[in-house]
Each structure stands twice: as C-alpha cells, then as structure tokens.
Amino acid sequence: MKDIKVLGIDLAKNVFQLHGADARGNGVLKKRLSREKLIEFIASLSPCLIGLEACGGAHYWARTFERMGHRVQMMSPQFVKPYVKSNKNDANDAEAIAEAVTRPTMRFVPIKKIEQQDVLLVHRARELAIKQRIAQANQIRGLLAEYGIVISKGFSHLEKLPEILERYEHQLTAVSKEIFLHLHEQFQVYKKQVEDYDKKIKQQANDDPRCQAIQNIEGVGPITASAIVATIGDPKTFKNGREVAAWLGLVPKQHSSGNKVTLGGITKRGDRYIRMLLVHGARSVVNICENKTDRKSQWVADKKKRCGYNKATVALANKNARVIWAMLATGECYRKADTAETQVV
C-alpha cells in the first residue's frame, strides 16, 4: 500500500470502486469496497492524493478523508468524462478520476465546511417549501374551477378561502367543502414554513459580517448574500471576479474558431439557485434605474436602452457577482458610485 500516491474513488451509496496509482501513474490497485470497509481501508493508507467527483455525499467524504491526513481534490464529472477509456463502468470511472486529478490544468471544486452546508440546507428546504406552496395553491385553484369557483391570482386571495367557500356554499357539497378546508390548512403549513425559513436566513445573514457588507450592493438582499457567501466559501479559490461570473453561468457561450469569435447566450453553468437570485435581484434594479441619477444606475439605464431589458439584467447580475467576489477577497466595503472613500472591514 505504500506505493499508492494517487487514489481515485468512484463514489456511490453502498459500493465504492477504487483505483490506485504509483508516482509514475501506473495502476497498482483495483478494489471494490462496501461503505463500512471504505473508511477502514483509507485510514490504513499512507497520506496520498485522493480524487473524487463532485456528487451527492462528496463533501462529507472529502472532509472525512482530510481528517485522516490525505489531500483531497474534487472535480466536476464533466471534466472527468474525457479521461474515461472505452466503455463506462465503475472501474473505468475510478481510473479516469485518478488520471484527471493529476492534471495540472484541472479545475477543482472547493470542499464545503459543515457550517456552509448548514446554511445551504436552510436554502434548499426553503426552496422546496416554496415549490410545495405553489403546487398546493395551483391544485386548490384547479379543483375549485371544477365547481365553477374562480379565485383571483395571488396568495392573498387564497388566505380568504374559508370565506369564499361560505359565499359559494350553494355550489359545494359537504364532502367537497371539507376537502377544500383540509387543502387550505396544508397551504397554510407551507406558508408558515417559508416564513420560518426566511427568518432563519435573515438571522444568519445578520450574524455574518460578510453578508452584512455585500447587502449594500444594489439588488443583493439577505437571502442572496447568505446563499452566495456559503456557496463560495474561500474566495481565494477563484483568481478573479470573472471566474466567479463564469462559474455561475453569467457569461456568454463561446463557439469560436480561427479569427471568428462567436458568442451566444449565457452558459447557465454552475449553481442555478445562486444565478436565479442574482438575476432576480438585478431585475429589481433595472426596473427603477431610469428614476436614479447615480453613475451605476445610469450605466444600467444605458445598457437597457442599447441592449434590451434581459441583457441589461444579466449584465448587472454579472457585475454584482464580480463585486461580491472582490469584497470577499479583499475585505473592502462596497464603494457606491457617488462615494469616494473606501473602508476596510
């Protein structure tokens, strides 16, 4: 086992495929282990470089292996795929991971701390509760329409559902009224969950000085600040702000050859949730940019006039992502367009 310098692990739920290589890259180990025996085997190894694909449970395993003294690097599966030889199977995947992790130009995924995962857990639970609330509202509206009852758009109208049921009681049976009241109770449960998650996220953002600082950026609120700080983690992982914008999929697709540069729409790579928050926040700024006279608002208004609403929105989201990285990397406060002084956090 002392010959193993690089170990590629194809992660799964219960069965893990390992491929070990020596200092010259020659394969010296091919092993298939259960979940229980994996930790025992890794603990018995001399410190080495372990490569993993970024997938479900990868951050947990990365932290576990690091505590055992190993150096762990995670990669996006799309960057490992070119190294898979011939047919796809667990053994070939593990060998490809062991090969890809040694490439000097490989891009690695930063390993999240458990505190970061705690913050993002609240965001994921909130996102699920919002989807369930919308689904419940749509189901209530659709079922009511079958009884000839149409409710106006908006959650506020569903709040008055018991009153509406009383008003149209002559169109309902006792059974249908009871079911609609149960559906309304479930809707209220989802609404309460969203409110509770919002409070928790705002509290987390208020307790973190970095989140407080970036909330001074136009279009960035506590939810966006909390999510992006927890997702980025160590800003030094990125060389500059453009890497962050590209990582979030806020830069144009490129299909260039020779001297012909062809740019398309945004790539939409990376974290969809963070990109959505940044774009929605940018929309709120673009909507009112004509009413303001500061330099940034005028830049947005000019971009909106020349390129259109959507391109101006994405351009501002891109700019905000770069500014957030700069603030996290340097510790500076946000410098508004009309403010000349710079403060350090």
Side-chain angles (χ1 to χ4, degrees):
M1 297 302 178
K2 293 182 179 179
D3 294 334
I4 297 178
K5 300 299 181 183
V6 180
L7 183 66
I9 304 178
D10 184 37
L11 297 177
K13 290 183 180 179
N14 299 310
V15 180
F16 301 82
Q17 182 71 41
L18 282 64
H19 180 89
D22 59 17
R24 295 185 177 183
N26 298 319
V28 295
L29 171 74
K30 282 189 179 181
K31 188 180 282 286
R32 194 175 180 87
L33 295 174
S34 65
R35 189 180 187 91
E36 291 75 19
K37 293 184 178 179
L38 176 64
I39 295 179
E40 297 177 13
F41 178 80
I42 299 299
S44 66
L45 283 180
S46 300
C48 64
L49 172 62
I50 297 179
L52 305 174
E53 282 186 331
C55 59
H59 292 282
Y60 161 76
W61 287 114
R63 292 193 301 268
T64 301
F65 297 153
E66 281 187 334
R67 287 196 295 269
M68 296 176 181
H70 301 285
R71 184 162 69 94
V72 184
Q73 297 282 21
M74 288 199 305
M75 302 158 287
S76 174
Q78 66 182 0
F79 295 148
V80 177
K81 180 65 176 175
Y83 296 92
V84 178
K85 298 173 185 174
S86 188
N87 299 317
K88 183 191 181 306
N89 54 52
D90 291 348
N92 287 344
D93 286 348
E95 183 179 355
I97 292 169
E99 175 69 22
V101 77
T102 61
R103 298 300 90 200
T105 58
M106 178 57 63
R107 297 175 183 174
F108 298 108
V109 177
I111 299 169
K112 287 185 175 62
K113 299 178 181 177
I114 196 166
E115 292 80 12
Q116 292 175 256
Q117 288 190 293
D118 285 345
V119 174
L120 294 175
L121 173 63
V122 182
H123 283 271
R124 298 294 177 261
R126 174 182 177 271
E127 190 177 19
L128 176 61
I130 288 174
K131 290 179 180 178
Q132 290 172 328
R133 181 180 62 173
I134 293 172
Q136 190 77 2
N138 290 339
Q139 185 182 48
I140 291 173
R141 292 179 191 280
L143 293 175
L144 281 174
E146 297 295 329
Y147 288 85
I149 303 173
V150 177
I151 300 180
S152 301
K153 291 182 179 179
F155 291 138
S156 59
H157 296 286
L158 282 176
E159 297 290 336
K160 304 174 183 177
L161 183 60
E163 301 174 13
I164 295 172
L165 296 178
E166 291 292 337
R167 192 186 315 156
Y168 292 96
E169 191 171 10
H170 60 283
Q171 296 179 222
L172 301 169
T173 63
V175 174
S176 60
K177 185 177 179 181
E178 182 183 0
I179 295 298
F180 281 122
L181 288 174
H182 282 313
L183 292 173
H184 181 257
E185 289 175 5
Q186 190 62 42
F187 171 79
Q188 293 291 88
V189 170
Y190 294 139
K191 178 192 171 187
K192 181 67 166 53
Q193 287 179 352
V194 173
E195 292 173 350
D196 291 342
Y197 291 137
D198 284 341
K199 290 178 183 177
K200 189 176 290 292
I201 290 172
K202 289 177 182 178
Q203 184 61 48
Q204 290 173 338
N206 291 333
D207 293 341
D208 192 331
R210 297 170 300 172
C211 293
Q212 292 179 1
I214 66 177
Q215 285 182 63
N216 293 318
I217 303 172
E218 297 86 351
V220 177
I223 294 176
T224 304
S226 170
I228 198 166
V229 167
T231 303
I232 289 178
D234 182 9
K236 300 297 176 63
T237 306
F238 303 92
K239 289 190 296 186
N240 50 46
R242 191 188 183 284
E243 274 199 356
V244 175
W247 174 63
L248 293 173
L250 291 169
V251 297
K253 276 182 189 172
Q254 188 172 156
H255 190 76
S256 305
S257 179
N259 290 326
K260 185 177 180 181
V261 178
T262 305
L263 300 178
I266 60 173
T267 63
K268 295 187 178 180
R269 295 187 182 126
D271 195 309
R272 180 194 63 83
Y273 180 68
I274 303 294
R275 184 173 60 252
M276 176 194 70
L277 292 175
L278 286 171
V279 170
H280 283 337
R283 283 199 182 105
S284 67
V285 178
V286 175
N287 288 337
I288 59 173
C289 61
E290 289 91 350
N291 302 330
K292 295 187 175 182
T293 58
D294 61 278
R295 191 168 56 194
K296 187 173 183 179
S297 296
Q298 291 302 307
W299 175 82
V300 175
D302 178 65
K303 183 76 69 174
K304 181 179 177 181
K305 182 178 179 181
R306 290 187 296 107
C307 304
Y309 179 87
N310 289 331
K311 288 185 178 180
T313 298
V314 174
L316 180 58
N318 182 304
K319 180 184 282 290
N320 285 346
R322 296 187 185 206
V323 171
I324 289 170
W325 175 86
M327 292 176 65
L328 294 177
T330 63
E332 291 188 6
C333 286
Y334 178 57
R335 289 178 283 177
K336 292 189 177 181
D338 297 331
T339 304
E341 295 182 359
T342 303
Q343 297 178 344
V344 178
V345 177

